[in-house]
């Protein structure tokens, strides 16, 4: 059974700090990895995806993937109170169209 | 780009009635559409996967006769909750996928309340 694990949090960081969100997955054949942000009462919105080992940067966000360790992370630099939300890690296996979601990590950025 | 809409955004209905929710990809043709349900403070639960012109694939435990999915075109999928009951009250969210990585883009969701 495919599993995606995330610490539920909340992860509290002060404004301007780096927030680090982590995710592990069980299916070694997983190919694509996604980070979504979900504000309370809203639907998820895509932040970024990654499918190669290493880092991928997009603005204040950096996704990091280590397939050997089955680990993917999201770094948020210069965190803002508006970044306070639940961050969902999602994983897609090879040949599958569906995503397996983690339960999400709640991030709280204090002013 | 990659905008997905849902209608209605909110619906209140009486127990026993049926409710139809539409999901549209506005600026792309979606290879696949997905329907999720999310109860308060819980994670997303995939209900079914839908490909245009073929029958939906339902996840284990989801009643296909209760949650009817029609995927008539590459830009439109509908979910009908038949004979809705209060326990069906939830946040229903669709997504549509595109691109080599089949990235999923979510609609804004439909909040259903069954009285």
């Amino acid at each position: 059974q495919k599993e995606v694990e995330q610490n539920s949090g909340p992860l509290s960081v002060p404004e301007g700090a780096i927030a680090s969100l982590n995710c592990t997955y069980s299916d070694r054949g997983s190919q694509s990895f996604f980070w979504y942000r979900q504000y309370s009462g809203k639907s998820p919105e895509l932040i970024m995806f990654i499918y190669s080992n290493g880092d991928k940067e997009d603005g204040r966000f950096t996704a990091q993937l280590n397939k050997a360790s089955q680990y993917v992370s999201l770094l948020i630099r210069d965190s803002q109170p508006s970044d306070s939300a639940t961050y969902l890690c999602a994983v897609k296996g090879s040949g599958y169209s569906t995503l397996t979601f983690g339960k999400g990590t709640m991030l709280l950025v204090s002013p | 780009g990659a905008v997905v809409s849902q209608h209605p955004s909110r619906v209140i209905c009486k127990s026993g009635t049926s409710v139809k929710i539409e999901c549209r990809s506005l600026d792309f043709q979606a290879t696949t559409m997905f329907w999720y349900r999310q109860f308060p403070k819980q994670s997303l639960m995939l209900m079914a996967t839908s490909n245009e012109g073929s029958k939906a694939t339902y996840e284990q435990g989801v009643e296909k006769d209760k949650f009817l999915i029609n995927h008539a075109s590459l830009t439109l999928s509908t979910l009908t909750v038949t004979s809705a009951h209060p326990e069906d009250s939830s946040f229903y969210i669709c997504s549509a996928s595109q691109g080599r990585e089949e990235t999923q883009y979510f609609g804004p969701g439909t909040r259903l309340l069954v009285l």
Side-chain angles (χ1 to χ4, degrees):
Chain A
Q1 182 167 342
K2 296 175 283 183
E3 292 183 351
V4 177
E5 299 288 340
Q6 293 182 259
N7 189 315
S8 62
L11 172 66
S12 296
V13 300
E15 183 175 358
I18 296 175
S20 177
L21 303 159
N22 304 315
C23 172
T24 59
Y25 58 95
S26 63
D27 182 6
R28 190 169 283 279
S30 299
Q31 295 292 309
S32 307
F33 308 85
F34 303 82
W35 282 100
Y36 289 87
R37 175 173 63 195
Q38 186 174 24
Y39 292 109
S40 180
K42 303 293 185 181
S43 67
E45 56 179 318
L46 179 69
I47 298 175
M48 61 193 307
F49 64 86
I50 185 169
Y51 48 85
S52 299
N53 274 326
D55 295 1
K56 179 180 179 182
E57 187 175 315
D58 184 359
R60 295 188 296 116
F61 300 97
T62 299
Q64 300 175 317
L65 175 61
N66 184 325
K67 288 186 178 180
S69 300
Q70 295 176 238
Y71 175 93
V72 58
S73 65
L74 179 71
L75 301 179
I76 306 175
R77 289 181 297 282
D78 188 23
S79 295
Q80 302 297 309
S82 58
D83 293 326
S84 298
T86 296
Y87 288 79
L88 303 172
C89 171
V91 175
K92 187 172 90 71
S94 176
Y96 294 98
S97 62
T98 59
L99 292 177
T100 301
F101 280 87
K103 293 187 177 181
T105 298
M106 181 182 292
L107 172 67
L108 297 176
V109 181
S110 53
Chain B
V3 178
V4 178
S5 70
Q6 264 183 262
H7 178 79
S9 59
R10 186 181 297 267
V11 59
I12 301 173
C13 69
K14 292 181 179 179
S15 184
T17 60
S18 295
V19 175
K20 180 186 282 189
I21 303 170
E22 289 188 352
C23 176
R24 293 181 184 273
S25 56
L26 298 184
D27 53 358
F28 67 101
Q29 292 186 328
T31 51
T32 308
M33 289 184 167
F34 305 85
W35 288 96
Y36 295 83
R37 181 167 55 180
Q38 188 174 38
F39 292 105
K41 300 192 186 304
Q42 294 190 22
S43 59
L44 286 169
M45 290 174 44
L46 178 65
M47 299 175 67
T49 302
S50 172
N51 291 293
E52 182 261 344
S54 60
K55 290 184 179 180
T57 302
Y58 290 81
E59 294 299 299
Q60 192 172 10
V62 178
E63 301 174 55
K64 62 178 70 175
D65 294 330
K66 181 170 181 62
F67 299 99
L68 301 178
I69 292 173
N70 183 279
H71 195 155
S73 75
L74 286 171
T75 60
L76 173 63
S77 177
T78 60
L79 167 68
T80 301
V81 183
T82 62
S83 187
H85 288 94
E87 58 265 30
D88 297 323
S89 299
S90 188
F91 191 36
Y92 291 85
I93 313 171
C94 73
S95 71
S97 67
Q98 69 155 167
R100 183 168 75 91
E101 296 306 316
E102 297 183 58
T103 303
Q104 287 189 31
Y105 297 90
F106 285 86
T110 296
R111 205 163 292 282
L112 171 64
L113 176 61
V114 185
L115 301 176

